[in-house]
Amino acid sequence: STEDNRFMVRNSLISHDGIRVSPLFLRDLKKTEDGLKVRCNLAYQPDTANNFFGGTVTSGEMVLKTAHITSLTASDAGPIDGATITLTCVAIGEKKPSFRFSSFGRKTVDKTFFQEVSAVAVEESGTTYTAKYVLK
């Protein structure tokens, strides 16, 4: 991990094609870090019992691409039972994100309280993506 604990390298894994990989997790990224140029530097410890004297390997330059939600709105903050409400989420990113709406800390919208009127529809304009979900 790093001094600020925003980056963490997990234990190595062997991929399906036999290549060893070490997943790198990034968290609490800031919008200003979009486009940041980074490199990965691995330092191998010496193992003199096996005639390995250690070394370092540095990756090529990579560019960090981030995405973020710019707004989340509801067409009616206090709908009356049975009224239609549209949830709109706007996100910015290089690639189209997957949008998922949920309620009450669940992975989906609670169907005991809401009825889906129309599935999530996503519109795209450059690197801006707008998802609309209609419920009642």
Side-chain angles (χ1 to χ4, degrees), residues 30-47:
K30 298 170 179 63
K31 292 176 191 176
T32 56
E33 293 172 320
D34 186 53
L36 181 69
K37 293 179 181 178
V38 296
R39 291 181 186 264
C40 185
N41 186 48
L42 299 174
Y44 293 96
Q45 299 300 317
D47 180 1

Side-chain angles (χ1 to χ4, degrees), residues 119-131:
V120 176
V122 180
E123 296 174 5
E124 184 176 333
S125 177
T127 58
T128 301
Y129 303 89
T130 303

Side-chain angles (χ1 to χ4, degrees), residues 3-17:
E3 291 176 14
D4 62 7
N5 292 317
R6 296 187 316 131
F7 309 98
M8 184 184 328
V9 178
R10 293 286 171 104
N11 293 335
S12 295
L13 306 168
I14 304 290
S15 67
H16 296 293
D17 53 5

Side-chain angles (χ1 to χ4, degrees), residues 77-96:
I80 297 173
D81 188 22
T84 299
I85 182 171
T86 301
L87 302 176
T88 304
C89 181
V90 179
I92 295 176
E94 178 136 338
K95 293 185 179 183
K96 182 178 180 180

Side-chain angles (χ1 to χ4, degrees), residues 24-91:
L24 174 64
F25 289 88
L26 309 171
R27 65 178 189 197
D28 300 328
L29 294 174
K30 298 170 179 63
K31 292 176 191 176
T32 56
E33 293 172 320
D34 186 53
L36 181 69
K37 293 179 181 178
V38 296
R39 291 181 186 264
C40 185
N41 186 48
L42 299 174
Y44 293 96
Q45 299 300 317
D47 180 1
T48 53
N50 291 302
N51 294 321
F52 181 70
F53 298 101
T56 60
V57 176
T58 303
S59 72
E61 190 173 86
M62 298 173 277
V63 178
L64 184 63
K65 297 289 183 183
T66 63
H68 58 276
I69 294 172
T70 59
S71 69
L72 176 61
T73 59
S75 60
D76 186 348
I80 297 173
D81 188 22
T84 299
I85 182 171
T86 301
L87 302 176
T88 304
C89 181
V90 179

